[in-house]
Amino acid sequence: MNSTQDTPSCQHKTRQQIGQSRRWVVKIGSALLTDNGRGLDTQSIQRWVAQMATLKQQHNIEIVLVSSGSVAAGMQRLNWTQRPTEVFKLQAAAAVGQMGMVQTYETCFQNHQLHTAQVLLTHDDLSNRQRYLNARSTLTALIDFDVIPIVNENDTVATDEIRFGDNDTLAGLVTNLIEADLLVILTDQQGLYEADPRINPEVELISEGQAGDEKLMRMAGSTGGHLGRGGMATKIRAANLASRSGAATWIASGRTDDILFKIAQGEKVGTLLHPAQARIAARKQWLASHLKMRGKLFLDAGAVKVLQQSGKSLLPIGVTGLEGHFARGDMVACVDPQGKEVARGLANYNSTETHKIMRQPSNQIEQLLGYIDEPELIHRDNLVLV
């Protein structure tokens, strides 16, 4: 199977064009970095670093590295064989492992006369508009200074990221944040298969597909390794995120010799997922990057059609119900009558106010609330389709 759906080639860049992209985000998974739990695989790290250094110094490719492995490296240092479930133990392992991992990267890049910078983020950093802009400014400044940013989740303090987050998702968000052209996810598998190759070794590798294709998610399943938090499903979700800024995603085995060079040359390795949509505006990317919704609005079919086809604001009359407690300015999800999310945006009214004005025309807001802030429940400038 070479593609999950037929798409005219004129809509996609070729592999060679994608491989020559100017700005990459490279994500390396825990199983690779720790050699399946046996400790930091320094020799492999040296090889990946040498490839990244060559791409930067000889091909002018800007690189941001998203690195997993802090928890897994800490587990090895602490002689733990099973990933713990207690939050404080995960945080302790991350704190211990982060030291060795960053030191290893710094030493390897220094061998190529390149400086590195550690950047620790939480999802909250990317959901707050001011912190989002600050993070973007910092990362772009580091790139301009010819420094290699090494990004990781701040696992030592972000409890819900340890429980629910994964660095594939972080890599997708960072791709949006810096408006990279290509997201490269190095894993311990050759790429995306039609089914789990660990169960059925005869299944075929998917060479190319399109981010957002629901068939891909059904094929991927959700099982990850015992060291990391992600599986192929999280990599597909990361590709969907990257697609919002117009970036392609390349999923490939980090154990393949010169894998980054092969990608840069456009060779037929791994799985290439083309973006399913054109690049959206930076503010819309920020809106789409929110992972934590404060509430949910249920829309009637007419409101869904207006949002999807006319690009208009969401009015109270199109809302049939709501869930959650949210304040003015909080991010809420908008779902269709079947319960599928179709959009998300910043609410102009809190949940109590929304409950009072939903199903009502905008000219009734002042009568119902005693005041009116905006005629829209969500203005189109603060709303993005998903």
Side-chain angles (χ1 to χ4, degrees):
M1 181 177 181
N2 291 327
S3 178
T4 58
Q5 59 186 46
D6 295 327
T7 306
S9 59
C10 62
Q11 296 183 11
H12 290 158
K13 294 180 180 179
T14 66
R15 283 177 173 262
Q16 287 75 19
Q17 289 172 323
I18 292 173
Q20 294 168 7
S21 297
R22 177 171 174 266
R23 181 173 290 181
W24 292 19
V25 171
V26 178
K27 186 265 179 179
I28 306 178
S30 298
L32 291 175
L33 286 165
T34 62
D35 195 16
N36 286 317
R38 288 185 282 272
L40 284 176
D41 188 347
T42 304
Q43 290 186 342
S44 293
I45 292 173
Q46 288 173 342
R47 288 194 293 270
W48 296 317
V49 166
Q51 292 173 64
M52 286 185 275
T54 298
L55 292 176
K56 177 173 177 56
Q57 294 169 331
Q58 297 184 18
H59 300 275
N60 297 316
I61 293 175
E62 299 169 345
I63 290 177
V64 172
L65 175 61
V66 175
S67 177
S68 297
S70 61
V71 173
M75 286 169 53
Q76 190 274 334
R77 286 190 167 198
L78 295 169
N79 296 318
W80 297 350
T81 57
Q82 295 293 323
R83 183 183 177 93
T85 57
E86 299 94 332
V87 172
F88 72 93
K89 288 185 179 180
L90 287 167
Q91 291 174 323
V96 172
Q98 194 74 27
M99 297 296 294
M101 190 173 68
V102 170
Q103 183 181 36
T104 300
Y105 277 128
E106 171 69 8
T107 299
C108 291
F109 277 108
Q110 282 288 336
N111 290 336
H112 300 275
Q113 291 75 53
L114 287 172
H115 295 296
T116 60
Q118 182 182 27
V119 180
L120 297 177
L121 297 173
T122 69
H123 290 315
D124 283 345
D125 293 322
L126 302 185
S127 62
N128 178 282
R129 180 65 175 166
Q130 188 60 49
R131 287 156 66 184
Y132 177 95
L133 294 174
N134 288 343
R136 184 173 70 179
S137 296
T138 298
L139 286 170
T140 54
L142 290 170
I143 292 170
D144 291 342
F145 296 151
D146 287 331
V147 174
I148 302 290
I150 301 173
V151 183
N152 196 1
E153 280 188 301
N154 196 352
D155 284 340
T156 60
V157 298
T159 58
D160 58 344
E161 277 69 32
I162 286 180
R163 291 174 183 161
F164 305 113
D166 60 83
N167 274 346
D168 294 324
T169 298
L170 178 61
L173 294 174
V174 170
T175 301
N176 292 160
L177 183 68
I178 64 169
E179 297 187 319
D181 306 294
L182 176 62
L183 168 60
V184 176
I185 300 179
L186 298 185
T187 180
D188 58 350
Q189 297 293 323
Q190 293 299 318
L192 179 63
Y193 289 84
E194 294 175 316
D196 191 337
R198 294 169 295 188
I199 299 175
N200 180 3
E202 302 301 320
V203 295
E204 293 186 27
L205 178 72
I206 298 172
S207 176
E208 292 191 39
Q210 184 164 292
D213 187 345
E214 293 183 359
K215 290 184 290 186
L216 291 175
M217 188 62 76
R218 291 196 295 269
M219 291 176 184
S222 59
T223 303
H226 72 285
L227 293 169
R229 287 170 279 173
M232 278 297 168
T234 66
K235 292 164 179 55
I236 293 173
R237 284 194 287 268
N240 294 346
L241 289 170
S243 177
R244 292 172 180 163
S245 55
T249 298
W250 212 311
I251 304 169
S253 171
R255 296 194 173 109
T256 299
D257 289 342
D258 294 332
I259 184 59
L260 295 178
F261 292 156
K262 288 180 167 64
I263 290 173
Q265 293 162 5
E267 294 187 19
K268 196 172 181 179
V269 292
T271 300
L272 173 60
L273 299 180
H274 297 275
Q277 59 188 33
R279 184 187 298 267
I280 63 176
R283 179 171 173 79
K284 297 284 187 176
Q285 290 177 33
W286 170 70
L287 291 169
S289 73
H290 282 63
L291 302 178
K292 310 293 184 183
M293 300 296 107
R294 299 297 184 182
K296 184 182 294 185
L297 302 179
F298 296 90
L299 313 187
D300 61 29
V304 172
K305 183 177 180 180
V306 167
L307 294 185
Q308 293 182 328
Q309 298 183 14
S310 302
K312 294 184 177 180
S313 301
L314 175 65
L315 303 179
I317 197 170
V319 178
T320 61
L322 63 85
E323 282 184 3
H325 298 281
F326 51 88
R328 173 182 169 88
D330 279 347
M331 180 66 65
V332 295
C334 302
V335 301
D336 65 15
Q338 289 72 47
K340 179 181 178 181
E341 184 180 0
V342 295
R344 57 182 57 174
L346 305 179
N348 284 332
Y349 295 90
N350 65 35
S351 52
T352 300
E353 295 165 333
T354 300
H355 189 267
K356 292 178 180 178
I357 64 176
M358 67 184 188
R359 300 192 184 94
Q360 301 299 322
S362 296
N363 60 15
Q364 294 295 308
I365 294 176
E366 186 171 8
Q367 180 179 339
L368 292 166
L369 299 180
Y371 56 88
I372 179 171
D373 287 328
E374 305 288 347
E376 311 91 0
L377 190 50
I378 302 177
H379 192 276
R380 63 183 181 181
D381 291 344
N382 293 325
L383 183 144
V384 62
L385 300 177
V386 297

